[in-house]
Amino acid sequence: MTVHAIIGGTGLTQLEGLEIHQALTLDTPYGAPSADILRGGYAGRDVLFLARHGQPHRIAPHQVNYRANLWALKQAGARAIVAVNAVGGIHAAMGAGHFCVPHQIIDYTAGRAHTFFEGKLDHVTHVDFSHPYDEALRARLIAALQAEGAAFSSHGVYGCTQGPRLETAAEILRMERDGCDLVGMTGMPEAALARELALPYACLALVVNPAAGKTSGPITMAEIERVLEQGMGTIKAVLARVLSA
């Protein structure tokens, strides 16, 4: 049976309803993951859960040990990964509270340990990353969002920035010209590392704020937290549908 792993981002440091059977404290060749990997039951299925930013939420996006997280999930038995990400909306359709299942990603990060294929290698390895998200897993997320009656987009380009600061309005304009619909800080190198480990990977993104320059007022954490709280019910329902499909 496929064992799904869920990587929870901002607002999803714990999965309410998860019947925890085991907390796995794992070490990897790349150090420790962000938190214990929780093995348990959710929606009648075995599942692994990892809080990307730690538990409690304290690891900044640029300091997440993405290699350790992905390696540990595979070590724990993950065969597919659904990543939950809080993002900013660039495209006009991506208002606060809107969901998106992105189909492409552009990496604007720098200095992150982004590959397993480095150091003393027997040979250089290149992986195909033309289509970064698994289409079968994306289809299941889309079907679940439709079944929940959520406002969502079935396609989108995720632009991943370094963080932890939010972007300038000029940076968002550049990203918009590049074709980005969403902006976040944790989509890479997570997606690429999953591909290197041959783990099907897809993203469920919740827009929690308009990107810089897309609103007349400042971006506030209070507003982001409000949208996160409102969206959590849909996120959990969608995850339950994906797992039970």
mmCIF file with all atom_site columns, all heavy atoms in Angstrom, residues 197-217:
data_model
loop_
_atom_site.group_PDB
_atom_site.id
_atom_site.type_symbol
_atom_site.label_atom_id
_atom_site.label_alt_id
_atom_site.label_comp_id
_atom_site.label_asym_id
_atom_site.label_entity_id
_atom_site.label_seq_id
_atom_site.pdbx_PDB_ins_code
_atom_site.Cartn_x
_atom_site.Cartn_y
_atom_site.Cartn_z
_atom_site.occupancy
_atom_site.B_iso_or_equiv
_atom_site.pdbx_formal_charge
_atom_site.auth_seq_id
_atom_site.auth_comp_id
_atom_site.auth_asym_id
_atom_site.auth_atom_id
_atom_site.pdbx_PDB_model_num
ATOM 1   N N   . LEU A 1 197 ? 14.763 11.607 -4.955 1.00 0.00 ? 197 LEU A N   1
ATOM 2   C CA  . LEU A 1 197 ? 14.487 10.371 -4.218 1.00 0.00 ? 197 LEU A CA  1
ATOM 3   C C   . LEU A 1 197 ? 13.385 9.541  -4.868 1.00 0.00 ? 197 LEU A C   1
ATOM 4   O O   . LEU A 1 197 ? 12.954 8.532  -4.306 1.00 0.00 ? 197 LEU A O   1
ATOM 5   C CB  . LEU A 1 197 ? 14.096 10.699 -2.774 1.00 0.00 ? 197 LEU A CB  1
ATOM 6   C CG  . LEU A 1 197 ? 15.194 11.294 -1.895 1.00 0.00 ? 197 LEU A CG  1
ATOM 7   C CD1 . LEU A 1 197 ? 14.638 11.662 -0.519 1.00 0.00 ? 197 LEU A CD1 1
ATOM 8   C CD2 . LEU A 1 197 ? 16.366 10.321 -1.751 1.00 0.00 ? 197 LEU A CD2 1
ATOM 9   N N   . ALA A 1 198 ? 12.915 9.981  -6.045 1.00 0.00 ? 198 ALA A N   1
ATOM 10  C CA  . ALA A 1 198 ? 11.863 9.279  -6.782 1.00 0.00 ? 198 ALA A CA  1
ATOM 11  C C   . ALA A 1 198 ? 10.582 9.166  -5.971 1.00 0.00 ? 198 ALA A C   1
ATOM 12  O O   . ALA A 1 198 ? 9.878  8.152  -6.027 1.00 0.00 ? 198 ALA A O   1
ATOM 13  C CB  . ALA A 1 198 ? 12.339 7.897  -7.230 1.00 0.00 ? 198 ALA A CB  1
ATOM 14  N N   . LEU A 1 199 ? 10.263 10.231 -5.220 1.00 0.00 ? 199 LEU A N   1
ATOM 15  C CA  . LEU A 1 199 ? 9.035  10.278 -4.436 1.00 0.00 ? 199 LEU A CA  1
ATOM 16  C C   . LEU A 1 199 ? 8.021  11.176 -5.149 1.00 0.00 ? 199 LEU A C   1
ATOM 17  O O   . LEU A 1 199 ? 8.281  12.363 -5.334 1.00 0.00 ? 199 LEU A O   1
ATOM 18  C CB  . LEU A 1 199 ? 9.309  10.840 -3.036 1.00 0.00 ? 199 LEU A CB  1
ATOM 19  C CG  . LEU A 1 199 ? 10.077 9.947  -2.069 1.00 0.00 ? 199 LEU A CG  1
ATOM 20  C CD1 . LEU A 1 199 ? 10.475 10.734 -0.813 1.00 0.00 ? 199 LEU A CD1 1
ATOM 21  C CD2 . LEU A 1 199 ? 9.243  8.738  -1.676 1.00 0.00 ? 199 LEU A CD2 1
ATOM 22  N N   . PRO A 1 200 ? 6.871  10.639 -5.565 1.00 0.00 ? 200 PRO A N   1
ATOM 23  C CA  . PRO A 1 200 ? 5.828  11.497 -6.130 1.00 0.00 ? 200 PRO A CA  1
ATOM 24  C C   . PRO A 1 200 ? 5.481  12.605 -5.141 1.00 0.00 ? 200 PRO A C   1
ATOM 25  O O   . PRO A 1 200 ? 5.292  12.351 -3.948 1.00 0.00 ? 200 PRO A O   1
ATOM 26  C CB  . PRO A 1 200 ? 4.653  10.538 -6.333 1.00 0.00 ? 200 PRO A CB  1
ATOM 27  C CG  . PRO A 1 200 ? 5.278  9.188  -6.453 1.00 0.00 ? 200 PRO A CG  1
ATOM 28  C CD  . PRO A 1 200 ? 6.469  9.223  -5.537 1.00 0.00 ? 200 PRO A CD  1
ATOM 29  N N   . TYR A 1 201 ? 5.373  13.825 -5.630 1.00 0.00 ? 201 TYR A N   1
ATOM 30  C CA  . TYR A 1 201 ? 5.256  14.994 -4.768 1.00 0.00 ? 201 TYR A CA  1
ATOM 31  C C   . TYR A 1 201 ? 4.296  15.979 -5.416 1.00 0.00 ? 201 TYR A C   1
ATOM 32  O O   . TYR A 1 201 ? 4.366  16.241 -6.622 1.00 0.00 ? 201 TYR A O   1
ATOM 33  C CB  . TYR A 1 201 ? 6.642  15.623 -4.595 1.00 0.00 ? 201 TYR A CB  1
ATOM 34  C CG  . TYR A 1 201 ? 6.719  16.908 -3.808 1.00 0.00 ? 201 TYR A CG  1
ATOM 35  C CD1 . TYR A 1 201 ? 7.082  16.894 -2.463 1.00 0.00 ? 201 TYR A CD1 1
ATOM 36  C CD2 . TYR A 1 201 ? 6.487  18.135 -4.410 1.00 0.00 ? 201 TYR A CD2 1
ATOM 37  C CE1 . TYR A 1 201 ? 7.192  18.093 -1.740 1.00 0.00 ? 201 TYR A CE1 1
ATOM 38  C CE2 . TYR A 1 201 ? 6.590  19.323 -3.701 1.00 0.00 ? 201 TYR A CE2 1
ATOM 39  C CZ  . TYR A 1 201 ? 6.943  19.291 -2.370 1.00 0.00 ? 201 TYR A CZ  1
ATOM 40  O OH  . TYR A 1 201 ? 7.051  20.467 -1.657 1.00 0.00 ? 201 TYR A OH  1
ATOM 41  N N   . ALA A 1 202 ? 3.383  16.534 -4.612 1.00 0.00 ? 202 ALA A N   1
ATOM 42  C CA  . ALA A 1 202 ? 2.484  17.583 -5.088 1.00 0.00 ? 202 ALA A CA  1
ATOM 43  C C   . ALA A 1 202 ? 2.244  18.571 -3.957 1.00 0.00 ? 202 ALA A C   1
ATOM 44  O O   . ALA A 1 202 ? 2.443  18.253 -2.781 1.00 0.00 ? 202 ALA A O   1
ATOM 45  C CB  . ALA A 1 202 ? 1.171  16.999 -5.591 1.00 0.00 ? 202 ALA A CB  1
ATOM 46  N N   . CYS A 1 203 ? 1.803  19.752 -4.337 1.00 0.00 ? 203 CYS A N   1
ATOM 47  C CA  . CYS A 1 203 ? 1.646  20.859 -3.389 1.00 0.00 ? 203 CYS A CA  1
ATOM 48  C C   . CYS A 1 203 ? 0.187  21.301 -3.322 1.00 0.00 ? 203 CYS A C   1
ATOM 49  O O   . CYS A 1 203 ? -0.470 21.476 -4.346 1.00 0.00 ? 203 CYS A O   1
ATOM 50  C CB  . CYS A 1 203 ? 2.528  22.030 -3.837 1.00 0.00 ? 203 CYS A CB  1
ATOM 51  S SG  . CYS A 1 203 ? 2.214  23.600 -2.999 1.00 0.00 ? 203 CYS A SG  1
ATOM 52  N N   . LEU A 1 204 ? -0.291 21.475 -2.097 1.00 0.00 ? 204 LEU A N   1
ATOM 53  C CA  . LEU A 1 204 ? -1.592 22.095 -1.846 1.00 0.00 ? 204 LEU A CA  1
ATOM 54  C C   . LEU A 1 204 ? -1.299 23.460 -1.237 1.00 0.00 ? 204 LEU A C   1
ATOM 55  O O   . LEU A 1 204 ? -0.865 23.565 -0.089 1.00 0.00 ? 204 LEU A O   1
ATOM 56  C CB  . LEU A 1 204 ? -2.415 21.240 -0.885 1.00 0.00 ? 204 LEU A CB  1
ATOM 57  C CG  . LEU A 1 204 ? -3.750 21.838 -0.411 1.00 0.00 ? 204 LEU A CG  1
ATOM 58  C CD1 . LEU A 1 204 ? -4.680 22.111 -1.578 1.00 0.00 ? 204 LEU A CD1 1
ATOM 59  C CD2 . LEU A 1 204 ? -4.415 20.930 0.616  1.00 0.00 ? 204 LEU A CD2 1
ATOM 60  N N   . ALA A 1 205 ? -1.512 24.510 -2.017 1.00 0.00 ? 205 ALA A N   1
ATOM 61  C CA  . ALA A 1 205 ? -1.164 25.860 -1.587 1.00 0.00 ? 205 ALA A CA  1
ATOM 62  C C   . ALA A 1 205 ? -2.418 26.642 -1.203 1.00 0.00 ? 205 ALA A C   1
ATOM 63  O O   . ALA A 1 205 ? -3.414 26.628 -1.930 1.00 0.00 ? 205 ALA A O   1
ATOM 64  C CB  . ALA A 1 205 ? -0.419 26.596 -2.705 1.00 0.00 ? 205 ALA A CB  1
ATOM 65  N N   . LEU A 1 206 ? -2.343 27.303 -0.068 1.00 0.00 ? 206 LEU A N   1
ATOM 66  C CA  . LEU A 1 206 ? -3.406 28.202 0.383  1.00 0.00 ? 206 LEU A CA  1
ATOM 67  C C   . LEU A 1 206 ? -2.875 29.628 0.326  1.00 0.00 ? 206 LEU A C   1
ATOM 68  O O   . LEU A 1 206 ? -1.857 29.951 0.944  1.00 0.00 ? 206 LEU A O   1
ATOM 69  C CB  . LEU A 1 206 ? -3.832 27.863 1.808  1.00 0.00 ? 206 LEU A CB  1
ATOM 70  C CG  . LEU A 1 206 ? -4.774 28.868 2.500  1.00 0.00 ? 206 LEU A CG  1
ATOM 71  C CD1 . LEU A 1 206 ? -6.093 28.991 1.745  1.00 0.00 ? 206 LEU A CD1 1
ATOM 72  C CD2 . LEU A 1 206 ? -5.017 28.472 3.958  1.00 0.00 ? 206 LEU A CD2 1
ATOM 73  N N   . VAL A 1 207 ? -3.553 30.486 -0.420 1.00 0.00 ? 207 VAL A N   1
ATOM 74  C CA  . VAL A 1 207 ? -3.170 31.900 -0.495 1.00 0.00 ? 207 VAL A CA  1
ATOM 75  C C   . VAL A 1 207 ? -3.622 32.579 0.796  1.00 0.00 ? 207 VAL A C   1
ATOM 76  O O   . VAL A 1 207 ? -4.807 32.593 1.121  1.00 0.00 ? 207 VAL A O   1
ATOM 77  C CB  . VAL A 1 207 ? -3.808 32.586 -1.710 1.00 0.00 ? 207 VAL A CB  1
ATOM 78  C CG1 . VAL A 1 207 ? -3.396 34.063 -1.756 1.00 0.00 ? 207 VAL A CG1 1
ATOM 79  C CG2 . VAL A 1 207 ? -3.414 31.885 -3.000 1.00 0.00 ? 207 VAL A CG2 1
ATOM 80  N N   . VAL A 1 208 ? -2.662 33.126 1.533  1.00 0.00 ? 208 VAL A N   1
ATOM 81  C CA  . VAL A 1 208 ? -2.990 33.736 2.824  1.00 0.00 ? 208 VAL A CA  1
ATOM 82  C C   . VAL A 1 208 ? -2.894 35.258 2.794  1.00 0.00 ? 208 VAL A C   1
ATOM 83  O O   . VAL A 1 208 ? -3.300 35.920 3.753  1.00 0.00 ? 208 VAL A O   1
ATOM 84  C CB  . VAL A 1 208 ? -2.090 33.172 3.954  1.00 0.00 ? 208 VAL A CB  1
ATOM 85  C CG1 . VAL A 1 208 ? -2.364 31.689 4.164  1.00 0.00 ? 208 VAL A CG1 1
ATOM 86  C CG2 . VAL A 1 208 ? -0.614 33.414 3.664  1.00 0.00 ? 208 VAL A CG2 1
ATOM 87  N N   . ASN A 1 209 ? -2.364 35.810 1.709  1.00 0.00 ? 209 ASN A N   1
ATOM 88  C CA  . ASN A 1 209 ? -2.278 37.269 1.591  1.00 0.00 ? 209 ASN A CA  1
ATOM 89  C C   . ASN A 1 209 ? -1.991 37.644 0.143  1.00 0.00 ? 209 ASN A C   1
ATOM 90  O O   . ASN A 1 209 ? -1.392 36.859 -0.595 1.00 0.00 ? 209 ASN A O   1
ATOM 91  C CB  . ASN A 1 209 ? -1.168 37.826 2.494  1.00 0.00 ? 209 ASN A CB  1
ATOM 92  C CG  . ASN A 1 209 ? 0.202  37.290 2.123  1.00 0.00 ? 209 ASN A CG  1
ATOM 93  O OD1 . ASN A 1 209 ? 0.601  36.215 2.580  1.00 0.00 ? 209 ASN A OD1 1
ATOM 94  N ND2 . ASN A 1 209 ? 0.950  38.016 1.294  1.00 0.00 ? 209 ASN A ND2 1
ATOM 95  N N   . PRO A 1 210 ? -2.412 38.850 -0.272 1.00 0.00 ? 210 PRO A N   1
ATOM 96  C CA  . PRO A 1 210 ? -1.956 39.355 -1.567 1.00 0.00 ? 210 PRO A CA  1
ATOM 97  C C   . PRO A 1 210 ? -0.457 39.639 -1.473 1.00 0.00 ? 210 PRO A C   1
ATOM 98  O O   . PRO A 1 210 ? 0.037  40.092 -0.429 1.00 0.00 ? 210 PRO A O   1
ATOM 99  C CB  . PRO A 1 210 ? -2.755 40.652 -1.761 1.00 0.00 ? 210 PRO A CB  1
ATOM 100 C CG  . PRO A 1 210 ? -3.814 40.638 -0.700 1.00 0.00 ? 210 PRO A CG  1
ATOM 101 C CD  . PRO A 1 210 ? -3.291 39.813 0.419  1.00 0.00 ? 210 PRO A CD  1
ATOM 102 N N   . ALA A 1 211 ? 0.261  39.382 -2.544 1.00 0.00 ? 211 ALA A N   1
ATOM 103 C CA  . ALA A 1 211 ? 1.699  39.651 -2.550 1.00 0.00 ? 211 ALA A CA  1
ATOM 104 C C   . ALA A 1 211 ? 1.961  41.156 -2.475 1.00 0.00 ? 211 ALA A C   1
ATOM 105 O O   . ALA A 1 211 ? 1.060  41.982 -2.680 1.00 0.00 ? 211 ALA A O   1
ATOM 106 C CB  . ALA A 1 211 ? 2.329  39.055 -3.799 1.00 0.00 ? 211 ALA A CB  1
ATOM 107 N N   . ALA A 1 212 ? 3.206  41.499 -2.192 1.00 0.00 ? 212 ALA A N   1
ATOM 108 C CA  . ALA A 1 212 ? 3.594  42.907 -2.028 1.00 0.00 ? 212 ALA A CA  1
ATOM 109 C C   . ALA A 1 212 ? 3.205  43.723 -3.261 1.00 0.00 ? 212 ALA A C   1
ATOM 110 O O   . ALA A 1 212 ? 3.433  43.310 -4.398 1.00 0.00 ? 212 ALA A O   1
ATOM 111 C CB  . ALA A 1 212 ? 5.099  43.010 -1.806 1.00 0.00 ? 212 ALA A CB  1
ATOM 112 N N   . GLY A 1 213 ? 2.582  44.872 -3.025 1.00 0.00 ? 213 GLY A N   1
ATOM 113 C CA  . GLY A 1 213 ? 2.165  45.743 -4.105 1.00 0.00 ? 213 GLY A CA  1
ATOM 114 C C   . GLY A 1 213 ? 0.822  45.385 -4.707 1.00 0.00 ? 213 GLY A C   1
ATOM 115 O O   . GLY A 1 213 ? 0.313  46.098 -5.570 1.00 0.00 ? 213 GLY A O   1
ATOM 116 N N   . LYS A 1 214 ? 0.233  44.289 -4.256 1.00 0.00 ? 214 LYS A N   1
ATOM 117 C CA  . LYS A 1 214 ? -1.064 43.852 -4.775 1.00 0.00 ? 214 LYS A CA  1
ATOM 118 C C   . LYS A 1 214 ? -2.212 44.294 -3.871 1.00 0.00 ? 214 LYS A C   1
ATOM 119 O O   . LYS A 1 214 ? -3.355 43.891 -4.083 1.00 0.00 ? 214 LYS A O   1
ATOM 120 C CB  . LYS A 1 214 ? -1.088 42.330 -4.941 1.00 0.00 ? 214 LYS A CB  1
ATOM 121 C CG  . LYS A 1 214 ? -0.074 41.814 -5.963 1.00 0.00 ? 214 LYS A CG  1
ATOM 122 C CD  . LYS A 1 214 ? -0.353 42.383 -7.340 1.00 0.00 ? 214 LYS A CD  1
ATOM 123 C CE  . LYS A 1 214 ? 0.624  41.882 -8.375 1.00 0.00 ? 214 LYS A CE  1
ATOM 124 N NZ  . LYS A 1 214 ? 0.347  42.449 -9.712 1.00 0.00 ? 214 LYS A NZ  1
ATOM 125 N N   . THR A 1 215 ? -1.900 45.055 -2.858 1.00 0.00 ? 215 THR A N   1
ATOM 126 C CA  . THR A 1 215 ? -2.907 45.601 -1.975 1.00 0.00 ? 215 THR A CA  1
ATOM 127 C C   . THR A 1 215 ? -2.452 46.990 -1.532 1.00 0.00 ? 215 THR A C   1
ATOM 128 O O   . THR A 1 215 ? -1.243 47.273 -1.512 1.00 0.00 ? 215 THR A O   1
ATOM 129 C CB  . THR A 1 215 ? -3.130 44.696 -0.741 1.00 0.00 ? 215 THR A CB  1
ATOM 130 O OG1 . THR A 1 215 ? -4.129 45.265 0.108  1.00 0.00 ? 215 THR A OG1 1
ATOM 131 C CG2 . THR A 1 215 ? -1.846 44.512 0.039  1.00 0.00 ? 215 THR A CG2 1
ATOM 132 N N   . SER A 1 216 ? -3.387 47.832 -1.160 1.00 0.00 ? 216 SER A N   1
ATOM 133 C CA  . SER A 1 216 ? -3.039 49.207 -0.792 1.00 0.00 ? 216 SER A CA  1
ATOM 134 C C   . SER A 1 216 ? -2.421 49.296 0.597  1.00 0.00 ? 216 SER A C   1
ATOM 135 O O   . SER A 1 216 ? -1.664 50.216 0.891  1.00 0.00 ? 216 SER A O   1
ATOM 136 C CB  . SER A 1 216 ? -4.288 50.100 -0.857 1.00 0.00 ? 216 SER A CB  1
ATOM 137 O OG  . SER A 1 216 ? -5.306 49.586 -0.006 1.00 0.00 ? 216 SER A OG  1
ATOM 138 N N   . GLY A 1 217 ? -2.733 48.344 1.471  1.00 0.00 ? 217 GLY A N   1
ATOM 139 C CA  . GLY A 1 217 ? -2.227 48.386 2.827  1.00 0.00 ? 217 GLY A CA  1
ATOM 140 C C   . GLY A 1 217 ? -1.055 47.456 3.042  1.00 0.00 ? 217 GLY A C   1
ATOM 141 O O   . GLY A 1 217 ? -0.657 46.703 2.146  1.00 0.00 ? 217 GLY A O   1
#
